[in-house]
Amino acid sequence: MGLTTSSIVFIILSLTAVVRCDLPHYAKAKSFITALYECGEYLETDNVTLDQYIYYGYPSVPEMKRLVHCAMVNVGAWNDNIGVRQNVISYYFKPNAMDSEYVERTQCCLDKICVAESCDQNNRAFETFSCYYRQYGRLIKDEVFVPLESLEFIQLFSFIKLALDICPEKLAQFARGDFLDDPLFKPVLFIVSLRFGGFSWENGLLLDVFYQQFGVSKLISPCTKKCVADVSARYCTVDKQELVYQVYKQCLHTLLDSSLQTAFQAMLSDSPCVQVGFTL
């Protein structure tokens, strides 16, 4: 039986809808428990033993410390050079709604941890996790956005450079910080936002994800949230690339320009060791 014109139109519209759903692109999300069991495989800890460790509340034993350190690194919440990324780890815990002192209590606990270079990294990461686990709130089972590491962030920009065929002269211009009003910056920004997970076709710009990636606390301030909501409403009829650009230009660029410039500079210098993609 042949297809009618209406059937063909329906199939085309259906395929278009599939294209416009939220695809993973380069972004990833992971629960802490999943990260922990992955580390169990890496470090050859069997599931029965790991089940017991979790059941007994993450006891302070060497094997558990190695596992927690690995899991913290696995979800992007820990770096041996800079320590904990509070903008990441806090999303794995849910405070009690009646608790108004969990932040101060957690910080007091963190302040007692050895931070010297000579301190054991497994112990530092484990003690940090314990402070959140016992003082901040309940460890959730949900998957949480995992921020890109510096090298991954530069790889993302390298992909965009190839995808948009950005010439060396334009890259040098962007590395100088001259990009906000350049027409080419619009597609660059859109692909960056979409590919790392900061923009969703269904939910728009995700400020929590931007905060988890870049660590700039003002990204989730009431003022910034209001600005993003107002601009998004004002430009709701334009294409998504223009929407993301207008939100960035009017609400976010003063907070993130330096991070993007650093990424452009890293690409220009071909130096993957430059720390970009997050701010502490």
Side-chain angles (χ1 to χ4, degrees):
M1 182 180 295
L3 292 173
T4 64
T5 301
S6 60
S7 298
I8 294 173
V9 171
F10 176 76
I11 291 173
I12 293 173
L13 290 175
S14 298
L15 290 173
T16 303
V18 170
V19 171
R20 287 294 180 262
C21 72
D22 282 327
L23 298 172
H25 295 285
Y26 199 83
K28 58 183 178 289
K30 190 178 295 187
S31 73
F32 189 84
I33 297 299
T34 296
L36 199 60
Y37 276 96
E38 288 177 349
C39 287
E41 290 193 6
Y42 303 149
L43 303 177
E44 298 187 89
T45 298
D46 63 85
N47 285 350
V48 173
T49 300
L50 189 46
D51 289 341
Q52 291 177 338
Y53 284 154
I54 294 173
Y55 179 80
Y56 287 108
Y58 304 90
S60 180
V61 297
E63 187 174 31
M64 185 78 262
K65 292 180 179 181
R66 288 194 297 272
L67 288 164
V68 166
H69 175 239
C70 174
M72 294 266 280
V73 173
N74 196 348
V75 299
W78 181 266
N79 179 290
D80 283 350
N81 294 321
I82 60 178
V84 67
R85 296 177 186 160
Q86 298 188 31
N87 56 301
V88 178
I89 193 173
S90 60
Y91 282 85
Y92 286 94
F93 296 88
K94 185 176 182 179
N96 188 314
M98 304 300 291
D99 187 354
S100 61
E101 300 178 351
Y102 64 93
V103 173
E104 293 80 3
R105 198 170 55 246
T106 303
Q107 188 58 53
C108 182
C109 179
L110 294 173
D111 290 341
K112 298 176 183 177
I113 299 173
C114 174
V115 295
E117 291 184 5
S118 59
C119 295
D120 178 74
Q121 295 294 342
N122 289 332
N123 189 67
R124 282 183 62 202
F126 175 79
E127 292 299 329
T128 298
F129 169 81
S130 297
C131 285
Y132 279 88
Y133 184 69
R134 305 191 187 286
Q135 307 296 339
Y136 196 91
R138 174 177 57 86
L139 180 64
I140 64 173
K141 298 179 180 180
D142 308 53
E143 291 189 338
V144 175
F145 169 75
V146 178
L148 303 184
E149 297 293 340
S150 294
L151 182 56
E152 292 177 300
F153 203 74
I154 294 172
Q155 288 174 331
L156 185 156
F157 271 67
S158 296
F159 165 80
I160 295 170
K161 176 179 178 290
L162 294 174
L164 297 179
D165 193 23
I166 301 176
C167 66
E169 293 77 16
K170 184 65 69 173
L171 186 59
Q173 173 192 323
F174 285 4
R176 294 194 300 270
D178 180 13
F179 52 78
L180 184 60
D181 295 316
D182 191 292
L184 184 58
F185 180 63
K186 287 186 181 182
V188 170
L189 176 66
F190 182 64
I191 298 175
V192 168
S193 303
L194 190 61
R195 193 160 170 80
F196 92 84
F199 174 79
S200 160
W201 284 101
E202 295 181 358
N203 301 306
L205 214 72
L206 305 174
L207 286 177
D208 281 326
V209 171
F210 271 87
Y211 171 59
Q212 287 166 277
Q213 179 63 53
F214 295 100
V216 180
S217 59
K218 288 185 178 179
L219 284 167
I220 54 172
S221 70
C223 181
T224 303
K225 289 180 179 179
K226 183 179 186 307
C227 180
V228 170
D230 290 347
V231 174
S232 297
R234 201 157 58 243
Y235 288 87
C236 63
T237 59
V238 302
D239 64 81
K240 299 302 183 183
Q241 184 181 121
E242 182 67 21
L243 171 63
V244 171
Y245 174 72
Q246 291 299 333
V247 169
Y248 183 86
K249 184 174 183 178
Q250 298 185 46
C251 306
L252 308 179
H253 86 90
T254 58
L255 306 177
L256 297 178
D257 272 4
S258 61
S259 293
L260 297 189
Q261 182 181 358
T262 302
F264 288 126
Q265 290 171 343
M267 288 175 58
L268 191 65
S269 64
D270 195 28
S271 174
C273 297
V274 178
Q275 294 290 320
V276 297
F278 51 84
T279 304
L280 295 174

